[in-house]
Amino acid sequence: MRNNGWIEEAWRLAVVLAGGALMGVLFGHVLGVTLAVLALYTLSHLYHVRRFINWMDDPLNKDMPIQYGIWGDVYAKISRLLNAQVQRERRLNILLKQFQSSAAALPDAVVALGTSDEIRWANEAAQDLLGLRLPGDYGRPLANLFRTPAFQQFLSRRDFSQTLELAAPGNDAQRLSLRAVHYGKNQLLIIVQNVTDRYRVERIRRDFVANVSHELRTPLTVISGFVENMQADGDLCPAPWRKPLALISEQTARMQHIVEDLLLLARLEGGEKNLRQESVDMAAMLGMLAEEARLLAGRDIAVSVNIESGWHLEADPGLLRSAISNLVVNAVHHTPPGGEIVLHWVDEPNASCVVVEDTGEGIAPEHIPRLTERFYRVDNGRSRERGGTGLGLAIVKHILQVHEGRLEIASTPGEGSQFICRFPARLRAQPAGQLAQVPGVEDNYAQSNR
Ligand code: ADP
């Protein structure tokens, strides 16, 4: 490694100056000759600058013009830097090729999008699953491929916490599950899985449950009709039969509830086709539900409403009411006398939430993740005694899902529970007659039956 260029150069300059001075003494013009020698020295450096610029046009393929002096040092240092960079590029290229060949071998489609969501790279599975034609489709927006509003919304929303299921482009029989992950600066990696088989099995199960439930409807109606008649007619119902008939009537009603709940679940799972979109006055709805809860709970439980958001909600009023009513009825059933239930309507930065809060018995943490499973109950016996079907929270979860909302449950055993229904901010609606933005309502009101 060279590092004595400066010393060599200093010697060279000293020799040039001394030579110039000597010649100046000989010719009788010390200053003039010395300046002329210095000018030649400067010109030689300018000549090196020019050679340097020429060399920089293609430094990897041209030999270093000079190996000595300060210019030798400059060339040596730049050559070292360039060689290190070449090595780094080679290593990166090998890594990139390894990544591309492993991504290409993946059974899932992988598409890398640029900052304007244009296709930058895709693997082979993407050509099969999405019908991409490469390299022709490079640079085209991925949205040109999936023209469904669901996909356009998925991309524009930029919230990729959940996957999106949709039909394959140009092939409705094929179902794809799509997830997106951010990488680099504003770039996206789209990973697409073929879930046709899983979707088909789910549909068979859903159709089976819906068909069985539907078939059970008529026999149950017939049984409950005859039982009612027999109970009403004293001649048809001798004394020893009264108790068994009451039991038959109760169990038939329970089965009818289960059948209705299963049919509703099947409808919601299949993607509710007749979803209504109306601006729902949440303060009014929660007020009515609180009133019903008071009737159900009696005077021993305080039920109040806390309205902090001024927004209405764009939703299906019947389904929304049914979901919140489920939570409120559960809160009444699980809150002992002296307890309190509060129905909140509040805003968060990106969402508006209905929170049903109680000071009841609470739920142990190990049960919380399973509560929205069908027929999952913390206490089987007590739930059945109250006529619970065990499907309530599963229905709530699905109703929120068809509204693109989420159910969250927080609870402390012995202290109470919070059931939070979080709706995305885009479902907020302006109350009728209100022109300005509605950030919140100042005059929160609280009602209590105490
Ligand atoms: P169920 O018909 O049994 O009420 P749900 O699906 O509505 O069915 O509720 C599932 C289980 O969650 C209930 O059995 C109960 O154990 C528990 N649960 C629901 N809400 C509450 C609550 N507010 N406080 C305590 N436990 C609750």
Side-chain angles (χ1 to χ4, degrees), residues 178-198:
L178 210 133
R179 72 177 313 150
V181 268
H182 285 288
Y183 79 96
K185 260 193 183 171
N186 279 334
Q187 284 155 306
L188 277 183
L189 202 63
I190 305 280
I191 301 150
V192 187
Q193 231 184 340
N194 185 352
V195 291
T196 312
D197 288 343
R198 197 195 73 204

Side-chain angles (χ1 to χ4, degrees), residues 246-431:
L247 217 67
I248 294 174
S249 163
E250 191 187 301
Q251 292 304 319
T252 315
R254 217 172 87 74
M255 279 176 76
Q256 279 176 317
H257 273 141
I258 294 179
V259 163
E260 291 311 319
D261 280 359
L262 283 174
L263 281 170
L264 174 60
L265 262 177
R267 232 176 70 204
L268 292 168
E269 272 186 322
E272 174 58 276
K273 309 274 180 315
N274 305 315
L275 193 71
R276 278 164 59 195
Q277 287 271 307
E278 285 175 26
S279 166
V280 181
D281 181 348
M282 296 304 288
M285 181 179 278
L286 293 191
M288 262 176 334
L289 288 170
E291 206 49 61
E292 286 172 21
R294 283 179 201 116
L295 290 174
L296 185 69
R299 294 192 59 77
D300 293 333
I301 299 175
V303 184
S304 60
V305 180
N306 169 40
I307 305 293
E308 286 179 24
S309 165
W311 294 105
H312 282 192
L313 189 71
E314 200 66 44
D316 183 308
L319 287 179
L320 190 65
R321 189 178 201 291
S322 151
I324 305 171
S325 166
N326 253 312
L327 298 178
V328 174
V329 171
N330 275 350
V332 171
H333 285 152
H334 294 279
T335 304
E340 198 179 341
I341 296 171
V342 188
L343 313 187
H344 304 267
W345 174 232
V346 290
D347 283 339
E348 285 179 357
N350 295 315
S352 289
C353 308
V354 172
V355 185
V356 178
E357 185 179 21
D358 65 57
T359 58
E361 63 205 40
I363 307 157
E366 66 269 22
H367 294 297
I368 292 181
R370 302 199 55 192
L371 286 182
T372 55
E373 287 173 22
R374 270 152 246 238
F375 298 113
Y376 187 85
R377 298 155 167 124
V378 176
D379 183 337
N380 268 325
R382 271 182 57 203
S383 162
R384 282 209 190 87
E385 263 171 40
R386 279 196 320 267
T389 60
L391 293 168
L393 291 180
I395 290 177
V396 174
K397 181 179 111 177
H398 279 91
I399 291 181
L400 295 191
Q401 268 174 5
V402 296
H403 286 92
E404 295 168 57
R406 260 204 338 254
L407 175 69
E408 276 166 37
I409 304 168
S411 186
T412 313
E415 288 184 17
S417 314
Q418 281 191 333
F419 287 77
I420 304 155
C421 309
R422 193 164 271 123
F423 298 96
R426 68 183 167 282
L427 294 185
R428 288 170 181 162
Q430 205 85 248

Side-chain angles (χ1 to χ4, degrees), residues 67-129:
Q67 316 261 345
Y68 54 85
I70 43 171
W71 284 103
D73 279 0
V74 169
Y75 284 112
K77 282 202 168 150
I78 289 182
S79 291
R80 262 203 312 280
L81 282 176
L82 286 172
N83 283 334
Q85 193 183 331
V86 168
Q87 293 297 329
R88 220 175 17 248
E89 270 175 22
R90 248 181 228 144
R91 275 200 305 273
L92 276 176
N93 267 334
I94 292 172
L95 268 177
L96 191 68
K97 285 214 173 88
Q98 280 172 348
F99 165 78
Q100 286 189 339
S101 55
S102 52
L106 281 176
D108 297 340
V110 182
V111 184
L113 300 185
T115 44
S116 318
D117 291 341
E118 80 282 5
I119 301 167
R120 296 274 297 272
W121 179 85
N123 67 352
E124 264 177 48
Q127 310 189 38
D128 297 340
L129 275 185

